[in-house]
Amino acid sequence: MFVFFLLTGRWLEQRLRDRTAGALGHLMQLLPDSIDRQLTNGQFERVALRHLNVGDVVRVLPGEVFPIDGTIVSGDTFANEALLTGESRPVPRGLGAPVIAGSYNLSTAVQVRIDQVGRETRYAQIVALMEQASVDKPRLAVLADRVAKPFLVFVLLAAAAAAGFWWGADPARALMAAVAVLVVTCPCALSLATPTAMLTSAAWLAKRGVLIRRLQAIESLADIDTVIF
């Protein structure tokens, strides 16, 4: 029964990690699957992102997401970079201005020379940091795991002591007393509640556009009394 409780808790934690990973995967899916790339004759063809190389020129239409980090070589537009910079207002992007993957082209079609593509873009690096954050444990969770190990030994000794105390008078009651000690002192809450709460918060925030680089930051929020914008 004790092992069943522990394994069930670990299973729930793994499900939450998978759900958090799914939220991060949704962020990566914001990028388009294909884009218009300029040919040597000046025409454009639709190609998958994996076929793009640094130095290629692509055309991004209004309403499309910039799939690469690059520099505008033709056209003027406004870009929505809120997901990456937090800036809620559209920012002007003209000839020679940089654009970043994950931002939206709002006004007119522009041609962009690719500076970074794929895993090298700033957007992909941010998502990679979030994926790392979902794996790392915050300081409080590490402390809980460290305390849980000696606590488990103490629980088993306490259960054995309870059984020994009642064994002489009533062996059946001794067994129930040992089981009761195991149930009420199960360290599942100690070692699993903290990472479960952290992962749930990270997944909830990721779905709403708030990117968490370190789960430790959620714990640190309890000590913050002033936020400056």
Side-chain angles (χ1 to χ4, degrees):
M1 181 184 65
F2 195 73
V3 172
F4 171 77
F5 282 149
L6 289 175
L7 291 180
T8 301
R10 294 297 179 185
W11 176 72
L12 290 173
E13 181 181 357
Q14 185 60 45
R15 284 195 61 187
L16 284 170
R17 289 190 184 278
D18 292 342
R19 189 178 303 173
T20 303
L24 299 181
H26 173 71
L27 289 177
M28 288 302 296
Q29 293 172 4
L30 293 178
L31 299 182
D33 296 327
S34 60
I35 196 71
D36 292 335
R37 181 176 63 181
Q38 189 177 41
L39 303 175
T40 55
N41 60 7
Q43 300 298 316
F44 289 89
E45 66 171 351
R46 199 76 178 178
V47 299
L49 294 186
R50 64 178 180 275
H51 294 150
L52 297 177
N53 298 300
V54 174
D56 288 346
V57 175
V58 297
R59 180 177 61 188
V60 182
L61 302 176
E64 288 186 334
V65 178
F66 289 100
I68 43 82
D69 291 349
T71 303
I72 294 181
V73 295
S74 177
D76 294 276
T77 188
F78 283 85
N80 181 351
E81 301 178 353
L83 178 63
L84 298 169
T85 65
E87 175 56 63
S88 59
R89 296 180 180 179
V91 292
R93 289 291 180 258
L95 184 64
V99 292
I100 52 180
S103 58
Y104 286 84
N105 180 19
L106 299 180
S107 303
T108 60
V110 292
Q111 296 179 22
V112 182
R113 184 183 66 249
I114 299 177
D115 297 330
Q116 302 288 347
V117 66
R119 292 289 179 180
E120 301 301 319
T121 63
R122 191 184 312 175
Y123 182 77
Q125 292 171 3
I126 290 175
V127 174
L129 286 174
M130 294 180 61
E131 290 174 343
Q132 183 63 34
S134 68
V135 175
D136 292 340
K137 287 191 174 182
R139 186 170 57 245
L140 188 59
V142 173
L143 177 61
D145 284 344
R146 189 180 304 141
V147 172
K149 295 176 181 178
F151 182 73
L152 177 59
V153 176
F154 170 77
V155 167
L156 294 176
L157 292 176
F165 178 80
W166 287 101
W167 188 263
D170 188 350
R173 186 163 186 173
L175 178 61
M176 294 304 298
V179 171
V181 172
L182 290 176
V183 171
V184 301
T185 57
C186 180
C188 294
L190 180 65
S191 60
L192 296 178
T194 298
T196 297
M198 296 287 187
L199 289 169
T200 302
S201 300
W204 189 89
L205 291 170
K207 292 178 180 178
R208 288 157 180 80
V210 180
L211 311 184
I212 302 297
R213 178 181 176 184
R214 292 187 304 118
L215 292 179
Q216 179 62 39
I218 299 178
E219 179 185 342
S220 301
L221 286 175
D223 299 324
I224 294 177
D225 58 7
T226 305
V227 178
I228 301 176
F229 293 94

